[in-house]
Amino acid sequence: MERRWLRWPKKSTQVRLTIIFVLTLIPLVGTALYANLKSKDILQNRLMERTQHGLTAVMNYIDLSFQGAEELSLQLANDSDLNMMLSKAGSELEGETLFDFRLITSKLSQIVTLNTMFAHAAILHSYSHTLLTTLGYQRIDQPNQEEWVKQAAASGFADAIFIPSSNRLQSSGQPDPVLNTQNIVLMRLMNNYDQHQPATHNVVLLVLRKSYFANLIRDLLPTSKATVYLYTADKRLVASTGAEMSGESELAKEIIEPRESGSFRWGDQLIIQSVSDKSGLSLVLVQPAAEIFHETQQLQRWTVVIIIISLCIAFWSAWVVFIYISKPLRHLVNAMQKMRKGQLVTRITHHREDEFGFVMDSFNQMAEEQQQLIQEGYELQLRLARTELKRLQAQINPHFLYNTLDSIYSAAMLSGEKDIGSMVVNLSKFFRISLGKGREIITVGESVSNLQYYLNLQKLRFRDQLAVETFVSEEAAKRSILRLLLQPLVENAILHGLEKRVGSKLLRIEANVQEGKLIIRINDNGQGISDERLTFIRDKLAQITVGQMFLLAKEQDTPDEIFGLSNVKSRMLLYYGEGADMDIKSNTSGTEVTLIFPREA
């Protein structure tokens, strides 16, 4: 029973297609799920990266702002004129002291006017307990008890940041210039030129608007639910775009905890932080993670729906395939199996009009023609090939001229023309050997020996100017080739190459066996073939293939001067197949024709 279940998928196209559809869906489903998860990570990383760059850019600008404020406070703290006027002032505000204080407040007003970051500027004159501000003068009782004075004194001559935790009103009802939660204060001790109280120091204060920094960081908000916070190096809140977080909240502790620049998750919040290496200030962006992944969650839900639909389509497609494809395929398979067993009368009966109906009709037509193709096809091509081979052989075989040649020889000898008689004898022997014995195949040795009669005739013609060299290896001499295959090449070498050469003429015939292939080379030292003409000849010969067996039937299409070459190549391909080939090389030093015969030649 188990084996039957194992064989069922192999025999049932429906089951196989269903399995294939499901297996195809598995990597697609896996890829889709992986792509969703990966897109979520990529979205988070890119968002964090872009936000991190934005935070860093704004952080650099804030650093420059604080750096400018610190340089200004340092400049005021070391200003000799200011320190001299403050050192001359007494404990009472009168006369020259009031005049100097007006000059000081005027200078502070100019500074505030030039930069919107400053709410106002002030200097605490410790000896008179007077706070000189751009808003006027204010007497402070026991300034050493003020928190911001203590903080300035504790920082020495370095800048200190005071962040008010509560508001205070002056006696006039106006907000206190220092104790105002809408501002932060940058403080520094001034150089001490006070002759009255040398142990005390005056304090320069630059009051910065929190709203200035809030506006800078507000552009970083990606959504309305996100918040950006600016902290000092000791993690005190400077400004924020939303409600200030309670220092006791868990999220506040997580952010305030010292960290380097980067991002992390805290519960359902995404936190990105940029920390300045120069000032220690830090920008922190807090955003609900759900806002970031809202679109990806919708995509994930759609992915699940698509997966379910795809599985349903896979099973439905398998059923449709079984109804419309599997059944007609079984009919075709059964009919083909009968044909394979020799039942050529097999036909498929059907009433279909679709593609399968066309295939079945084609099968029936194929079955009807199969017998004729088997009986006539191969035999007809074989007869045509043999007939073509004999016709090509007859094209270069001269008619039987033996009686005529004998008559010419007798007449020449009677007339005392021994050279002519010798030429006729060699020509007669050449034809008798070439056409005798009824053989179409001879050995290479016999073919080269027979060529000697033709070459002797040409030597008489050129009166010993023609030299012939033959090099035939023992193995090559025993190999068989078609009769009269070399004679057209030798004739071309003499008539088109050597005949036009002035002086000594050399013809070389070489035959050897290389890697089982018979190689025959015929070269001469004639005038050679021009590049244009050689290209033309090679193109014409390249058109002759086994698939064009009837090309030579149209002799008028073949130029007379390359008829011998095309005839030789055609006969080689018809007899030896595509394994045979001909190659021609030529230059001003002569021409070389190479014949290559396959191993079975």
Side-chain angles (χ1 to χ4, degrees), residues 86-318:
L86 292 172
S87 64
K88 292 188 302 178
S91 60
E92 299 296 332
L93 302 180
E94 58 184 8
E96 186 179 356
T97 300
L98 287 175
F99 179 77
D100 289 341
F101 281 3
R102 288 194 186 97
L103 292 178
I104 293 173
T105 55
S106 176
K107 187 170 185 177
L108 294 177
S109 297
Q110 292 176 1
I111 294 173
V112 172
T113 303
L114 294 175
N115 197 323
T116 59
M117 177 175 61
F118 300 117
H120 48 266
I123 294 178
L124 173 64
H125 184 238
S126 300
Y127 186 57
S128 64
H129 298 178
T130 303
L131 183 65
L132 309 177
T133 72
T134 54
L135 303 176
Y137 312 141
Q138 177 184 353
R139 280 283 197 157
I140 301 177
D141 297 329
Q142 298 180 343
N144 292 333
Q145 300 300 318
E146 295 286 341
E147 183 65 29
W148 57 272
V149 175
K150 294 179 181 179
Q151 187 174 336
S155 63
F157 289 95
D159 287 306
I161 296 177
F162 173 70
I163 301 177
S165 59
S166 61
N167 295 318
R168 187 171 68 182
L169 297 177
Q170 299 179 356
S171 58
S172 61
Q174 297 295 324
D176 189 271
V178 178
L179 296 178
N180 189 337
T181 57
Q182 299 299 317
N183 303 320
I184 60 174
V185 183
L186 181 66
M187 307 176 297
R188 176 186 286 270
L189 296 181
M190 301 183 69
N191 286 335
N192 184 19
Y193 300 132
D194 196 334
Q195 300 174 356
H196 301 286
Q197 291 186 355
T200 63
H201 289 276
N202 302 318
V203 182
V204 60
L205 301 92
L206 296 178
V207 182
L208 312 179
R209 291 187 175 93
K210 284 187 177 182
S211 60
Y212 174 82
F213 298 102
N215 290 333
L216 287 179
I217 62 179
R218 188 170 286 110
D219 293 335
L220 296 172
L221 294 176
T223 63
S224 59
K225 295 182 180 180
T227 308
V228 181
Y229 303 92
L230 175 63
Y231 287 96
T232 61
D234 54 357
K235 298 304 176 182
R236 290 177 294 153
L237 184 63
V238 176
S240 70
T241 59
E244 295 184 0
M245 294 183 299
S246 172
E248 299 300 325
S249 68
E250 292 297 326
L251 183 57
K253 292 179 180 179
E254 186 70 20
I255 296 176
I256 294 174
E257 181 182 338
R259 288 180 179 273
E260 297 180 351
S261 297
S263 57
F264 59 94
R265 288 284 296 272
W266 192 88
D268 58 349
Q269 301 290 328
L270 176 64
I271 300 175
I272 305 175
Q273 183 171 260
S274 176
V275 180
S276 171
D277 296 332
K278 299 177 181 177
S279 63
L281 293 171
S282 61
L283 275 175
V284 180
L285 182 142
V286 180
Q287 181 180 6
E291 287 189 337
I292 301 175
F293 305 120
H294 175 68
E295 295 183 1
T296 58
Q297 289 173 351
Q298 288 185 343
L299 182 60
Q300 288 176 348
R301 287 193 291 269
W302 276 108
T303 301
V304 173
V305 172
I306 292 173
I307 290 172
I308 295 173
I309 294 175
S310 299
L311 290 174
C312 294
I313 292 175
F315 288 104
W316 178 79
S317 300

Side-chain angles (χ1 to χ4, degrees), residues 533-582:
R533 183 62 181 170
L534 182 60
T535 301
F536 171 77
I537 293 173
R538 285 175 173 171
D539 291 342
K540 284 293 183 181
L541 294 178
Q543 297 174 8
I544 303 174
T545 62
V546 174
Q548 297 173 311
M549 296 182 62
F550 301 101
L551 181 64
L552 295 179
K554 301 179 180 180
E555 291 299 338
Q556 63 273 18
D557 294 339
T558 304
D560 294 338
E561 57 268 28
I562 67 168
F563 170 72
L565 294 173
S566 61
N567 187 284
V568 170
K569 183 174 181 180
S570 298
R571 293 168 61 204
M572 289 175 62
L573 292 177
L574 287 170
Y575 189 81
Y576 300 106
E578 293 289 357
D581 196 10
M582 174 189 292

Side-chain angles (χ1 to χ4, degrees), residues 327-342:
K327 284 185 177 180
L329 278 177
R330 288 182 180 180
H331 290 309
L332 282 172
V333 169
N334 293 334
M336 290 179 181
Q337 289 176 345
K338 292 179 181 180
M339 286 287 293
R340 187 176 61 181
K341 294 178 181 179

Side-chain angles (χ1 to χ4, degrees), residues 26-46 293 295-304 306-307:
I26 289 176
L28 295 178
V29 170
T31 302
L33 294 176
Y34 174 78
N36 273 279
L37 295 175
K38 197 66 177 178
S39 64
K40 183 178 180 180
D41 293 339
I42 293 174
L43 177 63
Q44 177 178 335
N45 292 335
R46 289 186 177 179
F293 305 120
E295 295 183 1
T296 58
Q297 289 173 351
Q298 288 185 343
L299 182 60
Q300 288 176 348
R301 287 193 291 269
W302 276 108
T303 301
V304 173
I306 292 173
I307 290 172

